[in-house]
Short mmCIF file of all heavy atoms in Angstrom, two decimals:
data_model
loop_
_atom_site.label_atom_id
_atom_site.label_comp_id
_atom_site.label_asym_id
_atom_site.label_seq_id
_atom_site.Cartn_x
_atom_site.Cartn_y
_atom_site.Cartn_z
N LEU A 12 -0.80 -9.89 75.73
CA LEU A 12 -1.42 -10.97 74.97
C LEU A 12 -2.74 -11.35 75.62
O LEU A 12 -2.82 -11.47 76.85
CB LEU A 12 -0.52 -12.20 74.99
CG LEU A 12 0.62 -12.25 73.99
CD1 LEU A 12 1.53 -13.43 74.30
CD2 LEU A 12 0.09 -12.35 72.56
N PRO A 13 -3.78 -11.56 74.83
CA PRO A 13 -5.06 -11.98 75.42
C PRO A 13 -5.04 -13.45 75.83
O PRO A 13 -4.12 -14.19 75.48
CB PRO A 13 -6.05 -11.77 74.27
CG PRO A 13 -5.24 -11.84 73.02
CD PRO A 13 -3.85 -11.38 73.37
N ASN A 14 -6.04 -13.87 76.57
CA ASN A 14 -6.28 -15.29 76.86
C ASN A 14 -7.49 -15.75 76.06
O ASN A 14 -8.34 -14.95 75.69
CB ASN A 14 -6.59 -15.50 78.34
CG ASN A 14 -5.37 -15.28 79.22
OD1 ASN A 14 -4.26 -15.58 78.83
ND2 ASN A 14 -5.60 -14.74 80.41
N LEU A 15 -7.58 -17.06 75.85
CA LEU A 15 -8.77 -17.64 75.23
C LEU A 15 -9.37 -18.64 76.21
O LEU A 15 -8.63 -19.32 76.95
CB LEU A 15 -8.41 -18.36 73.92
CG LEU A 15 -8.26 -17.45 72.69
CD1 LEU A 15 -6.92 -16.72 72.69
CD2 LEU A 15 -8.38 -18.27 71.41
N THR A 16 -10.70 -18.74 76.22
CA THR A 16 -11.38 -19.65 77.14
C THR A 16 -12.19 -20.68 76.35
O THR A 16 -12.94 -20.32 75.45
CB THR A 16 -12.32 -18.87 78.08
OG1 THR A 16 -11.55 -17.85 78.75
CG2 THR A 16 -12.95 -19.77 79.13
N ALA A 17 -12.05 -21.95 76.73
CA ALA A 17 -12.74 -23.04 76.03
C ALA A 17 -14.08 -23.36 76.69
O ALA A 17 -14.39 -22.86 77.78
CB ALA A 17 -11.86 -24.28 76.02
N ASN A 18 -14.84 -24.22 76.04
CA ASN A 18 -16.18 -24.60 76.52
C ASN A 18 -16.18 -25.22 77.92
O ASN A 18 -17.20 -25.19 78.60
CB ASN A 18 -16.81 -25.58 75.51
CG ASN A 18 -15.88 -26.75 75.19
OD1 ASN A 18 -15.18 -27.25 76.07
ND2 ASN A 18 -15.85 -27.17 73.94
N ASP A 19 -15.04 -25.76 78.38
CA ASP A 19 -15.00 -26.38 79.72
C ASP A 19 -14.34 -25.47 80.76
O ASP A 19 -14.03 -25.91 81.86
CB ASP A 19 -14.25 -27.72 79.66
CG ASP A 19 -12.76 -27.52 79.41
OD1 ASP A 19 -12.35 -26.42 78.97
OD2 ASP A 19 -11.99 -28.46 79.69
N GLY A 20 -14.08 -24.20 80.37
CA GLY A 20 -13.47 -23.26 81.32
C GLY A 20 -11.95 -23.19 81.22
O GLY A 20 -11.33 -22.35 81.89
N LEU A 21 -11.34 -24.05 80.41
CA LEU A 21 -9.88 -23.99 80.23
C LEU A 21 -9.49 -22.62 79.68
O LEU A 21 -10.04 -22.16 78.68
CB LEU A 21 -9.44 -25.09 79.24
CG LEU A 21 -7.98 -25.04 78.76
CD1 LEU A 21 -7.01 -25.34 79.92
CD2 LEU A 21 -7.76 -26.05 77.63
N VAL A 22 -8.50 -21.98 80.34
CA VAL A 22 -8.02 -20.67 79.88
C VAL A 22 -6.58 -20.85 79.37
O VAL A 22 -5.72 -21.37 80.09
CB VAL A 22 -8.05 -19.64 81.03
CG1 VAL A 22 -7.49 -18.30 80.57
CG2 VAL A 22 -9.48 -19.47 81.55
N LEU A 23 -6.35 -20.43 78.13
CA LEU A 23 -5.02 -20.57 77.54
C LEU A 23 -4.51 -19.22 77.08
O LEU A 23 -5.28 -18.39 76.58
CB LEU A 23 -5.08 -21.51 76.32
CG LEU A 23 -5.46 -22.97 76.57
CD1 LEU A 23 -5.47 -23.75 75.26
CD2 LEU A 23 -4.51 -23.62 77.57
N PRO A 24 -3.18 -19.02 77.19
CA PRO A 24 -2.59 -17.78 76.64
C PRO A 24 -2.61 -17.83 75.11
O PRO A 24 -2.62 -18.91 74.52
CB PRO A 24 -1.15 -17.83 77.17
CG PRO A 24 -0.87 -19.28 77.39
CD PRO A 24 -2.18 -19.93 77.77
N ALA A 25 -2.59 -16.66 74.49
CA ALA A 25 -2.78 -16.55 73.03
C ALA A 25 -1.64 -17.12 72.22
O ALA A 25 -1.77 -17.34 71.02
CB ALA A 25 -3.02 -15.10 72.65
N ILE A 26 -0.47 -17.34 72.83
CA ILE A 26 0.66 -17.98 72.14
C ILE A 26 1.26 -19.04 73.07
O ILE A 26 1.48 -18.78 74.26
CB ILE A 26 1.74 -16.94 71.76
CG1 ILE A 26 1.18 -15.93 70.75
CG2 ILE A 26 2.99 -17.63 71.19
CD1 ILE A 26 2.17 -14.85 70.30
N GLY A 27 1.49 -20.23 72.51
CA GLY A 27 2.13 -21.31 73.28
C GLY A 27 3.49 -21.63 72.69
O GLY A 27 4.01 -20.91 71.83
N GLY A 49 8.82 -16.48 79.36
CA GLY A 49 7.41 -16.09 79.51
C GLY A 49 6.39 -17.05 78.94
O GLY A 49 5.18 -16.83 79.10
N TYR A 50 6.81 -18.12 78.26
CA TYR A 50 5.82 -19.08 77.75
C TYR A 50 5.22 -19.87 78.92
O TYR A 50 5.94 -20.27 79.83
CB TYR A 50 6.46 -20.06 76.76
CG TYR A 50 6.87 -19.40 75.46
CD1 TYR A 50 8.13 -18.80 75.35
CD2 TYR A 50 6.03 -19.37 74.37
CE1 TYR A 50 8.52 -18.18 74.17
CE2 TYR A 50 6.41 -18.75 73.18
CZ TYR A 50 7.65 -18.16 73.09
OH TYR A 50 8.03 -17.55 71.92
N ARG A 51 3.91 -20.09 78.84
CA ARG A 51 3.25 -20.85 79.90
C ARG A 51 2.46 -22.04 79.37
O ARG A 51 1.97 -22.85 80.14
CB ARG A 51 2.31 -19.93 80.71
CG ARG A 51 3.06 -18.90 81.54
CD ARG A 51 3.87 -19.55 82.65
NE ARG A 51 4.67 -18.61 83.42
CZ ARG A 51 5.95 -18.30 83.15
NH1 ARG A 51 6.59 -18.87 82.12
NH2 ARG A 51 6.60 -17.44 83.89
N LEU A 52 2.32 -22.14 78.06
CA LEU A 52 1.63 -23.26 77.43
C LEU A 52 2.65 -24.07 76.63
O LEU A 52 3.24 -23.57 75.67
CB LEU A 52 0.53 -22.73 76.49
CG LEU A 52 -0.14 -23.74 75.55
CD1 LEU A 52 -0.85 -24.85 76.34
CD2 LEU A 52 -1.13 -23.02 74.63
N LEU A 53 2.90 -25.31 77.06
CA LEU A 53 3.89 -26.17 76.40
C LEU A 53 3.19 -27.30 75.65
O LEU A 53 2.24 -27.89 76.18
CB LEU A 53 4.84 -26.79 77.43
CG LEU A 53 5.66 -25.84 78.30
CD1 LEU A 53 6.55 -26.65 79.25
CD2 LEU A 53 6.52 -24.91 77.44
N ARG A 76 4.50 -24.72 89.19
CA ARG A 76 3.82 -25.74 88.39
C ARG A 76 2.42 -25.29 87.99
O ARG A 76 1.98 -25.52 86.86
CB ARG A 76 3.73 -27.05 89.22
CG ARG A 76 2.81 -28.12 88.65
CD ARG A 76 3.37 -28.69 87.36
NE ARG A 76 2.45 -29.64 86.73
CZ ARG A 76 1.59 -29.33 85.77
NH1 ARG A 76 1.52 -28.09 85.31
NH2 ARG A 76 0.82 -30.25 85.24
N GLU A 77 1.72 -24.65 88.93
CA GLU A 77 0.31 -24.29 88.66
C GLU A 77 0.18 -23.18 87.62
O GLU A 77 -0.90 -22.94 87.10
CB GLU A 77 -0.43 -23.89 89.95
CG GLU A 77 0.15 -22.70 90.70
CD GLU A 77 1.28 -23.06 91.68
OE1 GLU A 77 1.87 -24.16 91.55
OE2 GLU A 77 1.58 -22.23 92.57
N ASP A 78 1.30 -22.52 87.28
CA ASP A 78 1.26 -21.47 86.25
C ASP A 78 1.48 -22.04 84.84
O ASP A 78 1.38 -21.30 83.85
CB ASP A 78 2.35 -20.42 86.52
CG ASP A 78 2.05 -19.60 87.77
OD1 ASP A 78 0.96 -19.78 88.35
OD2 ASP A 78 2.92 -18.79 88.15
N ILE A 79 1.83 -23.32 84.77
CA ILE A 79 2.20 -23.92 83.47
C ILE A 79 1.07 -24.83 82.99
O ILE A 79 0.50 -25.59 83.77
CB ILE A 79 3.50 -24.74 83.60
CG1 ILE A 79 4.64 -23.82 84.06
CG2 ILE A 79 3.85 -25.44 82.29
CD1 ILE A 79 5.91 -24.57 84.46
N ILE A 80 0.75 -24.73 81.71
CA ILE A 80 -0.21 -25.65 81.10
C ILE A 80 0.59 -26.58 80.19
O ILE A 80 1.11 -26.16 79.15
CB ILE A 80 -1.28 -24.90 80.30
CG1 ILE A 80 -2.09 -24.02 81.26
CG2 ILE A 80 -2.22 -25.85 79.58
CD1 ILE A 80 -2.33 -22.67 80.74
N VAL A 81 0.73 -27.83 80.63
CA VAL A 81 1.52 -28.78 79.85
C VAL A 81 0.59 -29.72 79.10
O VAL A 81 -0.41 -30.19 79.64
CB VAL A 81 2.54 -29.52 80.75
CG1 VAL A 81 1.88 -30.27 81.88
CG2 VAL A 81 3.40 -30.46 79.93
N THR A 82 0.94 -29.91 77.84
CA THR A 82 0.11 -30.71 76.92
C THR A 82 0.87 -31.95 76.48
O THR A 82 2.07 -31.86 76.20
CB THR A 82 -0.19 -29.89 75.64
OG1 THR A 82 -0.65 -28.60 76.01
CG2 THR A 82 -1.21 -30.60 74.76
N TYR A 110 -0.18 -34.51 87.51
CA TYR A 110 -1.28 -34.36 86.55
C TYR A 110 -0.75 -33.69 85.30
O TYR A 110 0.29 -33.00 85.33
CB TYR A 110 -2.44 -33.53 87.14
CG TYR A 110 -2.07 -32.09 87.43
CD1 TYR A 110 -2.26 -31.09 86.48
CD2 TYR A 110 -1.52 -31.72 88.65
CE1 TYR A 110 -1.90 -29.78 86.73
CE2 TYR A 110 -1.16 -30.41 88.92
CZ TYR A 110 -1.36 -29.45 87.96
OH TYR A 110 -0.99 -28.14 88.20
N ILE A 111 -1.44 -33.91 84.20
CA ILE A 111 -1.14 -33.20 82.94
C ILE A 111 -2.35 -32.31 82.66
O ILE A 111 -3.51 -32.74 82.81
CB ILE A 111 -0.86 -34.20 81.81
CG1 ILE A 111 0.47 -34.91 82.09
CG2 ILE A 111 -0.81 -33.50 80.45
CD1 ILE A 111 0.81 -36.05 81.17
N ASP A 112 -2.08 -31.08 82.29
CA ASP A 112 -3.17 -30.10 82.14
C ASP A 112 -4.08 -30.40 80.97
O ASP A 112 -5.30 -30.21 81.05
CB ASP A 112 -2.57 -28.69 81.98
CG ASP A 112 -1.73 -28.33 83.18
OD1 ASP A 112 -0.55 -28.70 83.22
OD2 ASP A 112 -2.28 -27.73 84.12
N LEU A 113 -3.45 -30.81 79.85
CA LEU A 113 -4.23 -30.96 78.61
C LEU A 113 -3.72 -32.18 77.88
O LEU A 113 -2.52 -32.26 77.56
CB LEU A 113 -4.06 -29.69 77.76
CG LEU A 113 -4.74 -29.63 76.40
CD1 LEU A 113 -6.26 -29.78 76.53
CD2 LEU A 113 -4.41 -28.30 75.70
N LYS A 137 -9.71 -38.14 83.10
CA LYS A 137 -10.02 -36.79 83.61
C LYS A 137 -10.80 -36.94 84.92
O LYS A 137 -10.51 -36.25 85.91
CB LYS A 137 -10.83 -36.02 82.57
CG LYS A 137 -11.12 -34.59 82.98
CD LYS A 137 -11.95 -33.87 81.94
CE LYS A 137 -12.42 -32.55 82.51
NZ LYS A 137 -13.43 -31.90 81.70
N LYS A 143 -6.39 -32.79 83.36
CA LYS A 143 -7.37 -31.77 83.77
C LYS A 143 -8.33 -31.40 82.64
O LYS A 143 -9.49 -31.08 82.90
CB LYS A 143 -6.65 -30.50 84.23
CG LYS A 143 -5.72 -30.69 85.41
CD LYS A 143 -6.47 -30.84 86.71
CE LYS A 143 -5.54 -30.91 87.89
NZ LYS A 143 -6.16 -31.45 89.09
N HIS A 144 -7.84 -31.38 81.43
CA HIS A 144 -8.66 -30.98 80.28
C HIS A 144 -8.33 -31.92 79.13
O HIS A 144 -7.19 -32.39 79.01
CB HIS A 144 -8.39 -29.53 79.88
CG HIS A 144 -8.63 -28.56 81.00
ND1 HIS A 144 -9.86 -28.00 81.26
CD2 HIS A 144 -7.78 -28.09 81.95
CE1 HIS A 144 -9.76 -27.20 82.30
NE2 HIS A 144 -8.51 -27.24 82.75
N ILE A 145 -9.32 -32.17 78.28
CA ILE A 145 -9.10 -33.12 77.19
C ILE A 145 -9.51 -32.50 75.86
O ILE A 145 -10.44 -31.69 75.78
CB ILE A 145 -9.84 -34.45 77.45
CG1 ILE A 145 -11.34 -34.26 77.64
CG2 ILE A 145 -9.24 -35.14 78.67
CD1 ILE A 145 -12.11 -35.56 77.84
N PRO A 166 -14.65 -31.77 72.90
CA PRO A 166 -13.24 -31.42 73.19
C PRO A 166 -13.09 -29.93 73.54
O PRO A 166 -13.85 -29.09 73.03
CB PRO A 166 -12.52 -31.74 71.87
CG PRO A 166 -13.43 -32.69 71.15
CD PRO A 166 -14.82 -32.34 71.56
N ALA A 167 -12.11 -29.63 74.39
CA ALA A 167 -11.82 -28.24 74.73
C ALA A 167 -10.93 -27.59 73.68
O ALA A 167 -10.95 -26.38 73.49
CB ALA A 167 -11.15 -28.15 76.10
N VAL A 168 -10.13 -28.42 73.01
CA VAL A 168 -9.12 -27.92 72.06
C VAL A 168 -9.10 -28.83 70.83
O VAL A 168 -9.28 -30.04 70.95
CB VAL A 168 -7.71 -27.95 72.74
CG1 VAL A 168 -6.59 -27.80 71.72
CG2 VAL A 168 -7.60 -26.88 73.81
N GLY A 190 -17.21 -23.77 70.89
CA GLY A 190 -16.41 -23.35 72.05
C GLY A 190 -15.09 -24.09 72.16
O GLY A 190 -14.50 -24.20 73.24
N ILE A 191 -14.64 -24.64 71.03
CA ILE A 191 -13.37 -25.39 71.00
C ILE A 191 -12.26 -24.42 70.61
O ILE A 191 -12.35 -23.73 69.59
CB ILE A 191 -13.45 -26.53 69.95
CG1 ILE A 191 -14.59 -27.50 70.30
CG2 ILE A 191 -12.11 -27.24 69.82
CD1 ILE A 191 -14.93 -28.49 69.17
N ILE A 192 -11.21 -24.35 71.43
CA ILE A 192 -10.07 -23.50 71.07
C ILE A 192 -9.29 -24.19 69.95
O ILE A 192 -8.95 -25.38 70.06
CB ILE A 192 -9.15 -23.28 72.28
CG1 ILE A 192 -9.86 -22.43 73.35
CG2 ILE A 192 -7.84 -22.62 71.85
CD1 ILE A 192 -9.03 -22.22 74.61
N THR A 193 -9.01 -23.45 68.89
CA THR A 193 -8.17 -23.97 67.81
C THR A 193 -6.72 -23.61 68.10
O THR A 193 -6.37 -22.43 68.19
CB THR A 193 -8.57 -23.36 66.45
OG1 THR A 193 -9.96 -23.62 66.21
CG2 THR A 193 -7.73 -23.94 65.32
N GLU A 194 -5.88 -24.63 68.28
CA GLU A 194 -4.44 -24.40 68.36
C GLU A 194 -3.84 -24.66 66.98
O GLU A 194 -4.27 -25.58 66.28
CB GLU A 194 -3.78 -25.34 69.38
CG GLU A 194 -4.10 -25.00 70.82
CD GLU A 194 -3.32 -25.84 71.82
OE1 GLU A 194 -2.63 -26.82 71.39
OE2 GLU A 194 -3.39 -25.55 73.01
N GLY A 234 -7.66 -15.52 66.03
CA GLY A 234 -8.35 -16.16 67.15
C GLY A 234 -7.96 -17.60 67.38
O GLY A 234 -8.66 -18.34 68.08
N ASP A 235 -6.82 -18.02 66.80
CA ASP A 235 -6.29 -19.34 67.15
C ASP A 235 -5.09 -19.14 68.08
O ASP A 235 -4.68 -18.01 68.33
CB ASP A 235 -5.88 -20.12 65.89
CG ASP A 235 -4.69 -19.50 65.17
OD1 ASP A 235 -3.55 -19.72 65.63
OD2 ASP A 235 -4.89 -18.79 64.16
N ILE A 236 -4.56 -20.25 68.58
CA ILE A 236 -3.37 -20.17 69.44
C ILE A 236 -2.20 -20.82 68.71
O ILE A 236 -2.14 -22.05 68.58
CB ILE A 236 -3.61 -20.86 70.80
CG1 ILE A 236 -4.72 -20.14 71.56
CG2 ILE A 236 -2.31 -20.91 71.61
CD1 ILE A 236 -4.94 -20.64 72.97
N ILE A 238 1.55 -22.23 68.29
CA ILE A 238 2.51 -22.82 69.25
C ILE A 238 3.88 -22.94 68.56
O ILE A 238 4.38 -24.04 68.33
CB ILE A 238 2.01 -24.19 69.77
CG1 ILE A 238 1.52 -25.10 68.62
CG2 ILE A 238 0.88 -24.01 70.77
CD1 ILE A 238 1.24 -26.55 69.07
#
Side-chain angles (χ1 to χ4, degrees):
L12 278 171
N14 290 325
L15 279 77
T16 305
N18 51 38
D19 70 343
L21 171 67
V22 177
L23 296 180
I26 296 180
Y50 291 87
R51 291 293 176 268
L52 169 61
L53 300 180
R76 168 68 185 96
E77 60 274 18
D78 292 354
I79 300 170
I80 296 136
V81 58
T82 311
Y110 65 91
I111 291 173
D112 300 85
L113 178 60
K137 184 182 170 191
K143 299 285 185 198
H144 303 272
I145 58 178
V168 165
I191 300 168
I192 293 177
T193 303
E194 288 187 352
D235 67 79
I236 297 186
I238 48 170

